Amino acid sequence: MRHKSKGEMRDIAKERIAILLDLAEQESKKPDMGRAKRYAELARKISMRYQAGMPLEYKRRICKKCGAFLVFGKNATVRTLDGAVSIKCGGCGNIVRLPFSRETKERRSASAASRICKKIILMKEKGASADEILKESVRLIRAATGRFNWTGIYLLKGDALELHNYIGRPTEHTTIKTGVGVCGTAVAQKRNINVPDVSKVQNYLACSVETKSEIVVLIKAPDGRILGQIDIDSDKRGAFLQRDERFLQKVADCIGALIT
Ligand code: SME
């Protein structure tokens, strides 16, 4: 077997970190927080071992002093004071103060998109097929943040979307007609759709009862033709920000240029 490069190892590490943090999140919903601390600890170890960096939204979710997995409002408190956010661990009392900056987040999200684009452009240059590029794209998008609980790409074939590949819970919606559901509506109306609360949408195809919000970003060819879409579900209500849409659009545009 070919020896994996450092970058590949790091990508695998990122994927595992995301899975472990998902598990920690689920465990933390139990009254006694279950094994949340243990999963968070493993995620942090992998992150250090492979210099893989924690997903941004989880960076502050682990107490630097005692290692507890922090759930704000449960075992941690958050306050904004003097242009900074203060996070206090309810377990050990440690306080972390973070200067707040929307611009920093915007910049990070843009560079995450550029990194993904660079990787898939390189794949194309090395002769990767459209299938390989689409699979790798889903993997990289999924690894970019822990908020994406279901990440997939649908391709438009005639008047239906066909699920190409995904990471997350299995779905029965592998073929979706144009105009049907959030996915099909995005194609019919030729626009991205961000649904903060899926329970408010009538024309919604439930992929999982856990899903609370969804975003669909169209993949277009450079000539504007709709080729498909990136579809993301989150277990959190209102999970997707404009910044996420910009991030996904940047990646979608790269994909669109590479698979035509
Ligand atoms: N919710 C989508 C269907 C796809 S699944 O979420 C994976 C829709 O309403 O079109």
Side-chain angles (χ1 to χ4, degrees), residues 150 154 171 173 176 180-183 203-205 207 214 231 233:
W150 190 96
Y154 284 90
T171 176
H173 303 298
I176 302 173
V180 178
V182 178
C183 297
N203 189 11
Y204 171 70
L205 304 172
C207 162
E214 174 163 4
D231 179 20
D233 288 354

Side-chain angles (χ1 to χ4, degrees), residues 55-75:
L56 267 186
E57 48 284 296
Y58 281 106
K59 255 197 166 148
R60 316 295 176 198
R61 298 287 306 279
I62 301 171
C63 175
K64 287 219 161 41
K65 200 169 167 203
C66 72
F69 185 73
L70 304 177
V71 179
F72 306 135
K74 191 169 176 184
N75 66 346

Side-chain angles (χ1 to χ4, degrees), residues 12-234:
I12 294 170
K14 279 197 176 166
E15 206 174 303
R16 302 215 165 134
I17 290 168
I19 292 168
L20 284 162
L21 291 171
D22 266 352
L23 287 168
E25 191 83 79
Q26 280 165 32
E27 285 287 298
S28 71
K29 289 180 184 133
K30 296 181 180 166
D32 65 349
M33 304 281 291
R35 295 172 58 78
K37 187 173 176 178
R38 179 70 185 133
Y39 286 131
E41 192 175 77
L42 289 171
R44 214 168 61 91
K45 274 193 182 154
I46 296 177
S47 138
M48 289 194 298
R49 166 75 178 77
Y50 295 96
Q51 298 179 341
M54 290 287 214
L56 267 186
E57 48 284 296
Y58 281 106
K59 255 197 166 148
R60 316 295 176 198
R61 298 287 306 279
I62 301 171
C63 175
K64 287 219 161 41
K65 200 169 167 203
C66 72
F69 185 73
L70 304 177
V71 179
F72 306 135
K74 191 169 176 184
N75 66 346
T77 47
V78 183
R79 294 202 313 154
T80 47
L81 199 70
D82 298 333
V85 180
S86 286
I87 301 171
K88 182 175 179 183
C89 170
C92 71
N94 192 47
I95 297 175
V96 175
R97 196 174 171 277
L98 312 157
F100 187 73
S101 161
R102 185 173 296 175
E103 290 75 17
T104 309
K105 288 187 178 166
E106 189 69 47
R107 226 179 13 248
R108 282 188 182 145
S109 152
S111 58
S114 304
R115 272 198 305 276
I116 295 180
C117 289
K118 270 188 201 147
K119 283 187 187 166
I120 56 177
I121 289 169
L122 195 69
M123 283 181 75
K124 173 86 174 183
E125 284 169 1
K126 287 185 175 168
S129 66
D131 278 343
E132 287 167 329
I133 289 172
L134 289 165
K135 273 202 178 141
E136 183 63 2
S137 301
V138 166
R139 208 178 66 74
L140 293 168
I141 294 167
R142 173 67 183 81
T145 154
R147 278 173 305 141
F148 298 173
N149 296 99
W150 190 96
T151 306
I153 288 182
Y154 284 90
L155 291 183
L156 187 61
K157 301 270 156 84
D159 67 347
L161 286 159
E162 279 174 16
L163 183 55
H164 181 277
N165 84 98
Y166 69 95
I167 299 173
R169 291 180 283 257
T171 176
E172 57 188 25
H173 303 298
T174 50
T175 304
I176 302 173
K177 284 248 181 234
T178 302
V180 178
V182 178
C183 297
T185 304
V187 175
Q189 298 182 355
K190 299 185 174 58
R191 65 181 181 100
N192 297 339
I193 301 185
N194 182 353
V195 184
D197 183 351
V198 296
S199 70
K200 302 254 157 67
V201 179
Q202 281 188 340
N203 189 11
Y204 171 70
L205 304 172
C207 162
S208 145
V209 286
E210 242 104 12
T211 301
K212 301 281 188 309
S213 56
E214 174 163 4
I215 188 167
V216 170
V217 172
L218 295 176
I219 299 172
K220 291 184 188 167
D223 64 8
R225 225 167 2 108
I226 298 177
L227 302 175
Q229 59 189 217
I230 301 173
D231 179 20
I232 320 258
D233 288 354
S234 175

